[in-house]
Amino acid sequence: MPYQWSSSETSHGDVECLRLWPHRSLPRWGFAVFILITCVMFTMPLFPLLGTATLWGLLPFLVLAVWGVWYALQRSYRDGAMGEELTIGREEVHLRRTNARGPAQEWESQSYWTKVHMHPTGGPVPHYVTLKGKGREVEIGAFLSEDERKALYGEIAEALKRIGEPDPVVG
């Protein structure tokens, strides 16, 4: 799943951290291999034209086509450079969304009053997950798949419950 939980101890108690990111179906090495294969496939039909004026007429269009593919994939990587970080502590819940284009967005609420909701219908995506607190409701994980949002909802609810439990008395 494109998210990861971690936990740590601070002077204020336990803290649960969640980092979410969009899917990357084509890793960087796959990008390089794809561009290489595209270049090879585009040059193969040019071999019979070596030494002719027709080669020079077709070459700019083939270079433009490879550049277009490269640009489109790079744009996809830039647009996918978004993510969300949710920090759940005893006192406060903090959500930071890093957008691909535009400023980062932040939201915080007191842990005790923070609630997680799942909206099976009526949201921009099915099984829309939101956090509510301090009079605001914010989305989380909208770029995840439907099954991942369902699992995420349960995990956030469990983390909020776990963080809100009183410390065990040692004695």
Side-chain angles (χ1 to χ4, degrees), residues 41-63:
M41 297 298 285
F42 279 175
T43 57
M44 287 176 73
L46 296 180
F47 287 135
L49 300 176
L50 287 176
T52 66
T54 309
L55 172 72
W56 295 107
L58 291 176
L59 199 56
F61 295 105
L62 295 176
V63 170

Side-chain angles (χ1 to χ4, degrees), residues 9 13 119 128 154:
E9 287 188 37
H119 307 278
Y128 189 60

Side-chain angles (χ1 to χ4, degrees), residues 71-90:
Y71 178 78
L73 289 174
Q74 286 290 31
R75 174 76 185 260
S76 172
Y77 276 108
R78 279 194 309 271
D79 289 348
M82 65 183 321
E84 296 174 345
E85 292 178 25
L86 176 67
T87 307
I88 303 173
R90 288 232 182 259

Side-chain angles (χ1 to χ4, degrees), residues 117-160:
H117 298 282
M118 182 185 302
H119 307 278
T121 59
V125 292
H127 294 90
Y128 189 60
V129 179
T130 60
L131 295 170
K132 188 172 188 174
K134 268 194 178 175
R136 275 183 65 198
E137 192 166 13
V138 294
E139 69 179 345
I140 184 166
F143 48 78
L144 299 175
S145 72
E146 185 175 344
D147 291 334
E148 290 166 342
R149 285 190 302 277
K150 289 177 184 177
L152 179 66
Y153 167 75
E155 291 178 23
I156 292 175
E158 182 63 32
L160 285 169

